[in-house]
Amino acid sequence: MFWAKTVSDRTGTGVFLLKPASMKHKQSLVMAALVCAASLLQFCSKNDTTIVSSSSTNTTVTNTVGTLQLPATVFNYSNVSFPAHIANALSVVDNTPLNNPITNDGATLGRVLFYDKILSKNNTISCGSCHRPDMSFSDSAIKSRGFIGGLTARHSMRLLNVRFYRSGKMFWDERSNTLEDQVLQPIQNTTEMGLTLDELISKVSAQTYYPALFQKAFGNTDITTDKVSKALAQFVRSIVTYQSKYDKVKQGLASFTQDESDGETLFLTRGNVTCAGCHAPPMFLTSNPDRPFALQDATDRGINNQDRFKSGSLRNIAATGSYFHNGSVATLNDMLASNIPQHGVAAQDRQKLLAFMQTLTDVTTIADVKFSNPFK
Ligand code: HEC
Ligand code: HEC
C-alpha cells in the first residue's frame, strides 16, 4: 500500500529527488530508495519489463548489449522555447509532417532506438556510433565503420537542425525524400547496420523494454517499422542548436568581437554568391542546392549526378572535423585556403570568417542529457 501511495503521490516531475539539502543523509538515502522503487513499480506495472537493478535516479533495465537507464519523468522535446530568430525561421521552413509531430514520449523512444546496438546485425553499431553527440552528431573519422568494419561511402553528416531543411530531403545527394524514410535506410544498409526490416522488428520486439516505450509513444504496444521510423525521426528532429554565441548576440545578450563581426559581414556580403546565399542563417543551410558548385570528385557526382551536394547546417562546424561529402578537407582553415570554388578566400579574410564560424558552436545542446546515450 505504501508503495502504491508513493507512486500516486508522485508529482511526475521527479521532485522527490530534490528534497531539501538539510535532509539528513540517511533520510535522503531512504527517500532515494523509495523514489527508485516507485519508479520501478510504475514501470513494471504497465508491462513485462524485467527490472534488474536501479540507481537512485533512474529506471534501469537490462539489454542484450548494455544497461538502459531512463529517468522517471520524460525530458522535454516537444515544447522548447526557441529565441525569436530561431522560432521565426522554424515557422517557415519546418519539415515536420502533420502525421508525426514531436512528442516527449515519441522522442524518448527515438532516443533509445538511436543508441540501441541491437539495431545492427551483430549488435555492435548504433546510429550514435557514427552520429556521436560529442562530435555534434557526426563522426571524427573521415569515413565511418559499419557493423563488420566496412567503410561508408561518404562522411557522416551532423544531425543538427535537420528539421530546418525545408525540402526535407536527406543525405548528401538528397536521395531520400523525407527524414521518416531516411532513418530506415542505415538500418538496412549492408555496410552500416545490415538488418532487414523483418529482422529489425523481431529484434526490437524481443527486448523487454520496448513494449512500454511504444505504448507511451503511440498508445499501443504494436511494434512496426512505421513507428520505429516515426520515433527515430522525432528524436533527430528534436536536436536543434540555439544556445551558441551567435544566438546570444542575436538576442542582444552578448556582442561579437571585431573579427567575429567582420566575419559575419564577409559571410553575408562577400562575392557574387555570398556564403549566406547558399548557407542561409539562422541555421546556415539551404533547402535547394541549385547553384552551380562542385568540389571536384570524379567518383561521386552527388544529386542527380550533377556535381551538386546538400550541405547540412553549418552550426557547430568548428567543433567537428573532416569536411565536405567525402571528408577530404581536414580543417576549416584548409577550406578557406583552398581553391575549392566559392570556398577559398583571400588570406586576410580567413581569420575573420573562421572567428565568425566559431560563434556558431553550441556546446550546451550537444551535451544535453536528453540527447545522450541512455545505455551504460
Ligand atoms: C556506419 C555509420 C552510420 C550509421 C550506423 C548511421 N549513419 Fe546516418 N549517416 C552516415 C553517413 C555516412 C551519412 C551520409 C551518407 C550519404 O549521404 O550517402 C549519414 C546520413 C544521415 C542522415 C542525413 C542527414 C542530412 O542532413 O541529410 C540522417 C538523418 C542520418 N544519417 C540518421 C541516422 C540514423 C537515424 C541512424 C540509425 C538508424 C544512422 N544515421 C546510422 C553514417 C551512419
Ligand atoms: C554556391 C553555394 C555555396 C556558396 C556560395 C558557399 N557554399 Fe559552402 N558549401 C556548399 C555546398 C553545396 C557544400 C557541400 C559540398 C560538398 O560536400 O561537396 C558546402 C560546404 C561547406 C562547408 C563544409 C560543410 C560540411 O558539412 O562539411 C563549409 C564549412 C562551408 N561550405 C562554408 C562556406 C563559406 C564560409 C562560404 C563563403 C566563403 C561558403 N561556404 C560558400 C555551398 C556553398
Side-chain angles (χ1 to χ4, degrees), residues 158 172 267 270 273-275 278-279 291-293 295 309-311 314 317 323-325 332 335-336 342-343 345 353 357:
R158 290 176 306 285
W172 287 107
F267 197 94
R270 185 196 156 279
V273 186
T274 64
C275 308
C278 291
H279 305 281
R291 297 180 196 273
F293 165 70
L295 173 71
F309 290 91
K310 170 180 181 175
S311 166
L314 292 190
I317 193 77
Y323 299 108
F324 290 79
H325 67 273
L332 290 177
M335 177 190 84
L336 294 169
Q342 313 285 356
H343 292 80
V345 302
L353 280 166
M357 285 191 274

Side-chain angles (χ1 to χ4, degrees), residues 36 40 50-56 58-62 67-69:
C36 213
L40 293 188
T50 313
I51 307 296
V52 176
S53 65
S54 62
S55 73
S56 58
N58 299 314
T59 299
T60 307
V61 189
T62 46
T67 302
L68 173 64
Q69 294 189 348

Side-chain angles (χ1 to χ4, degrees), residues 190-202:
T190 51
T191 301
E192 296 182 354
M193 301 169 94
L195 291 182
T196 63
L197 292 179
D198 286 346
E199 287 170 328
L200 166 72
I201 295 310
S202 74

Side-chain angles (χ1 to χ4, degrees), residues 46-153:
K46 289 183 184 158
N47 60 81
D48 298 332
T49 300
T50 313
I51 307 296
V52 176
S53 65
S54 62
S55 73
S56 58
T57 53
N58 299 314
T59 299
T60 307
V61 189
T62 46
N63 171 332
T64 45
V65 289
T67 302
L68 173 64
Q69 294 189 348
L70 289 174
T73 307
V74 287
F75 292 114
N76 176 25
Y77 297 96
S78 65
N79 190 22
V80 180
S81 56
F82 298 121
H85 66 286
I86 301 289
N88 293 342
L90 186 60
S91 67
V92 180
V93 298
D94 194 356
N95 59 35
T96 304
L98 287 175
N99 70 356
N100 195 28
I102 297 171
T103 64
N104 294 338
D105 288 314
T108 297
L109 169 59
R111 176 184 173 214
V112 177
L113 290 164
F114 189 88
Y115 288 105
D116 198 337
K117 292 182 178 169
I118 65 134
L119 266 65
S120 63
K121 181 103 179 168
N122 56 4
N123 302 333
T124 57
I125 294 270
S126 71
C127 311
S129 307
C130 301
H131 300 285
R132 294 166 40 182
D134 63 325
M135 290 299 298
S136 298
F137 296 91
S138 175
D139 195 350
S140 54
I142 294 176
K143 304 275 169 75
S144 304
R145 291 206 179 274
F147 71 106
I148 38 174
L151 290 175
T152 55

